[in-house]
Amino acid sequence: MEIVFHDKTALVTGAGSGIGEAVAKGLAASGARVLVQDLNLAAASRVANEIAATGGLAKAAGGDVSDPAAVEGLVAQAVDWGSGLHLLVNNAGIAGPSAPVGEYPLDGWNHVININLNAVFYGMRHAIPAMLQAGGGAIVNMASILGSVGFANAAAYTSAKHALLGLTRAAALEYSAKGIRVNAIGPGFIETPLLSALPPGAKEALITAHPIGRLGRPDEVADLTQYLLSDKASFITGSYHLVDGGYCAQ
Ligand code: NAI
């Protein structure tokens, strides 16, 4: 199945590392122009340069996606560069503090909600008018298996990811008939720097929680993302797609 994104412009947030990097590289390899966004501009530039070195079209952008003005600027930059915005992957996210609810730090709660939830709303709020202008588009919101099941000591992360599913469904109801499909992905635990804060031994425990017997790879999430953004998924909207090695089947 060949997926082609010629003449499509994509904005991928948090694309300087892990899943976002794999998504940006995959989209570029399929012909999209990719605005590679990350809070860490040096990381975004590295990814954009690597894409360009393989003949792809990419541009790096910095900024904090929890700042609505920054997100508005990113969408404008993508529109100006690519003659419209067609694809959005709201991927930037953080793990946040690890603590039970009764001890959860208030500033940590707000930080996680701002990046993992509010920023996704800002992305859609600004990208959707641009996509309508461009004649349609597709959006993928990077949720998690923790969008549908709980996880101890990660209340803010779990709450933000659950809320992303509601946001995805509401937007799909509003815009699917207008040519914009909106879906969410629920990765299981994936080998990326996000897991670097895990305490010793935690990774081994996580592996046993995945019936497939290992953690996932960023490219496995990127492949699903690319499919959902493509015309191959033309009847898929408002839904939540697991790529979790069987984690949620138990
Ligand atoms: P990562 O830590 O490798 O990459 C996240 C990127 O987001 C980093 O480059 C970081 O600089 C950027 N970022 C953080 N805050 C930002 C902000 N305010 N503005 C712009 N960029 C920002 O993490 P990973 O694993 O690639 O995660 C990507 C997404 O996938 C996140 O939404 C995460 O919650 C989700 N996810 C990850 C899983 C995992 O096990 N790695 C499992 C399920 C979901």
Side-chain angles (χ1 to χ4, degrees), residues 14 17 19 38-39 64-65 91 143 157 161 187-190 192-194:
S17 170
I19 294 170
D38 204 286
L39 184 62
D64 181 345
V65 291
N91 167 79
Y157 187 93
K161 297 299 189 181
F189 286 85
I190 308 296
T192 75
L194 191 86

Side-chain angles (χ1 to χ4, degrees), residues 9-243:
T9 300
L11 168 59
V12 184
T13 69
S17 170
I19 294 170
E21 174 175 351
V23 168
K25 288 179 170 173
L27 290 174
S30 297
R33 270 180 232 98
V34 185
L35 191 59
V36 179
Q37 191 281 336
D38 204 286
L39 184 62
N40 180 344
L41 180 58
S45 299
R46 174 188 59 79
V47 173
N49 288 339
E50 287 175 14
I51 290 172
T54 60
L57 280 172
K59 212 169 174 175
D64 181 345
V65 291
S66 67
D67 171 3
V71 175
E72 187 174 11
L74 283 167
V75 169
Q77 195 182 337
V79 168
D80 289 347
W81 176 48
S83 51
L85 176 63
H86 312 92
L87 310 170
L88 170 67
V89 183
N90 282 308
N91 167 79
I94 59 169
S98 179
V101 173
E103 300 163 28
Y104 207 88
L106 296 187
D107 57 347
W109 172 273
N110 289 327
H111 193 48
V112 173
I113 297 297
N114 278 333
I115 295 172
N116 291 10
L117 175 60
N118 292 345
V120 177
F121 165 65
Y122 304 147
M124 293 170 68
R125 171 66 183 81
H126 293 295
I128 284 172
M131 287 179 179
L132 290 172
Q133 190 92 36
I139 298 171
V140 165
N141 295 325
M142 204 54 73
S144 165
I145 45 174
L146 306 187
S148 59
V149 296
F151 198 78
N153 298 315
Y157 187 93
T158 307
S159 300
K161 297 299 189 181
H162 272 66
L164 275 194
L165 305 191
L167 179 57
T168 298
R169 290 171 179 139
L173 295 180
E174 293 160 357
Y175 291 102
S176 293
K178 296 178 178 159
I180 301 174
R181 295 180 302 99
V182 191
N183 289 291
I185 290 183
F189 286 85
I190 308 296
E191 292 270 14
T192 75
L194 191 86
L195 301 190
S196 61
L198 288 172
K203 188 171 155 186
E204 289 65 33
L206 282 177
I207 288 172
T208 63
H210 294 72
I212 211 161
R214 63 174 173 85
L215 302 186
R217 299 188 312 268
D219 64 283
E220 293 174 315
V221 183
D223 284 347
L224 176 59
T225 306
Q226 196 165 164
Y227 172 73
L228 288 172
L229 291 174
S230 78
D231 290 343
K232 304 286 180 198
S234 50
F235 200 53
I236 302 178
T237 193
S239 49
Y240 167 56
H241 304 265
L242 295 170
V243 48

